[in-house]
Amino acid sequence: MEYKPQPDRYTNGMLYRRCGDSGIQLPVISLGFWHNFGNTDCYATGLELVEYAFDHGVCHFDLANNYGPPAGSAEENFGRMMKQSFAAHRDEMFITSKAGHEMWPGPYGGCSSRKNLMASIDQSLKRMNLDYVDLFYSHRYDGITPIDETMQALVDIVRQGKALYIGLSKYPVDKLLYALNYLHEAGVPCLAYQDRYNMFDRHIEKEHLQICMEKGIGVVAFSPLAQGILSSKYLNGIPADSRAARPEGYLKQSDVTPDKI
């Protein structure tokens, strides 16, 4: 059946907040595709989740080139969803992607070099059936690539029309400050900073949040429920279809302990 979004999707309860000093408003809840929508998951269930989210005002969808598993499959599945259900609603959606972690074999398949970022954005757009993403993140500071090289690649990605905005993820404070200044001077300021933030991990409260507030940058939290530990999912053990039950996942069974429930 043809998908038709709910006509009251923007008035049925979702809240929207301004993202830093910009014209962008984002829903207070977004939908991330990390280890949720890969080829090891059921595509039909994933599509149902995305349609449900969109029907309830979620218009911010967060991906990365290495999301899956396997790497790349989350973007491929999202591209399939775009073609199947959301092609007519692209301009209602705020779609983000990232690059910087290991993605393909060899010396250019990871980190944050210009070579990697330029190849990654092209691959991501092809997988998702998009002409551009709304925001493209540097997924991490890799400790190797000069920040000037990484930031200039991000600036050029915007100027080439492959992304509308730039973001940074998981940067140490000193590197974040340098990167923010570079982007500001280049005329392509950072729209959003993304990092892990939940009751178990509050490290960004020490300095990152203050920096973003002072610089007029939005903050996007990932793993707000600590990959489900802060939900009711693991109250009665580890479900067979959960992240903690997967041998390839980042959430280990040893992470699900009574003092973390």
Side-chain angles (χ1 to χ4, degrees):
M1 295 179 61
E2 180 184 357
Y3 168 65
K4 295 182 179 180
Q6 293 296 318
D8 66 343
R9 58 190 175 277
Y10 298 115
T11 58
N12 62 10
M14 179 58 68
L15 300 177
Y16 300 86
R17 292 178 181 164
R18 190 75 57 186
C19 186
D21 293 338
S22 77
I24 291 296
Q25 295 185 69
L26 296 178
V28 294
I29 298 175
S30 62
L31 183 59
F33 277 61
W34 183 47
H35 281 242
N36 292 299
F37 297 89
N39 288 347
T40 58
D41 299 284
C42 175
Y43 172 80
T45 299
L47 178 60
E48 183 179 357
L49 288 171
V50 176
E51 290 179 348
Y52 181 90
F54 194 68
D55 281 341
H56 290 78
V58 176
C59 54
H60 176 197
F61 299 94
D62 183 67
L63 299 100
N65 61 350
N66 67 330
Y67 285 2
S73 62
E75 288 188 331
E76 290 173 351
N77 286 328
F78 183 75
R80 184 178 169 189
M81 293 173 188
M82 285 295 301
K83 185 176 181 180
Q84 182 174 342
S85 296
F86 300 104
H89 307 285
R90 168 65 182 97
D91 292 335
E92 295 182 49
M93 306 171 79
F94 194 87
I95 302 168
T96 67
S97 190
K98 318 174 193 71
H101 285 288
E102 298 304 314
M103 182 61 189
W104 62 83
Y108 316 121
C111 296
S112 304
S113 68
R114 181 181 182 87
K115 168 77 170 173
N116 175 267
L117 295 182
M118 289 298 185
S120 292
I121 184 64
D122 287 343
Q123 291 179 14
S124 290
L125 293 177
K126 183 177 180 179
R127 282 190 289 266
M128 294 189 287
N129 292 312
L130 298 176
D131 295 323
Y132 67 93
V133 292
D134 295 283
L135 186 150
F136 188 68
Y137 288 97
S138 170
H139 208 164
R140 62 166 178 157
Y141 169 68
D142 62 26
I144 300 172
T145 308
I147 297 181
D148 288 23
E149 178 179 343
T150 301
M151 295 305 111
Q152 189 58 48
L154 296 177
V155 168
D156 291 342
I157 284 170
V158 169
R159 290 176 177 169
Q160 290 172 6
K162 297 175 181 179
L164 301 184
Y165 300 93
I166 286 304
L168 302 173
S169 178
K170 299 178 300 189
Y171 268 57
V173 168
D174 60 331
K175 309 305 181 186
L176 175 63
L177 287 169
Y178 184 93
L180 293 179
N181 183 67
Y182 188 102
L183 293 171
H184 178 77
E185 292 296 321
V188 183
C190 178
L191 176 74
Y193 177 75
Q194 186 184 76
D195 213 324
R196 180 181 286 103
Y197 188 42
N198 56 56
M199 290 175 65
F200 295 147
D201 190 344
R202 301 170 62 177
H203 74 279
I204 65 172
E205 291 181 354
K206 185 176 181 180
E207 295 182 81
H208 288 82
L209 291 183
Q210 185 63 33
I211 290 171
C212 290
M213 184 180 299
E214 293 174 353
K215 301 288 187 180
I217 297 167
V219 175
V220 177
F222 70 79
S223 292
L225 296 177
Q227 300 192 69
I229 294 178
L230 290 171
S231 72
S232 60
K233 180 183 288 290
Y234 297 104
L235 291 180
N236 298 304
I238 299 175
D241 61 349
S242 66
R243 288 190 185 189
R246 296 180 178 181
E248 79 279 3
Y250 286 88
L251 182 64
K252 308 301 180 185
Q253 292 192 19
S254 58
D255 295 327
V256 186
T257 57
D259 65 333
K260 291 186 178 180
I261 292 178

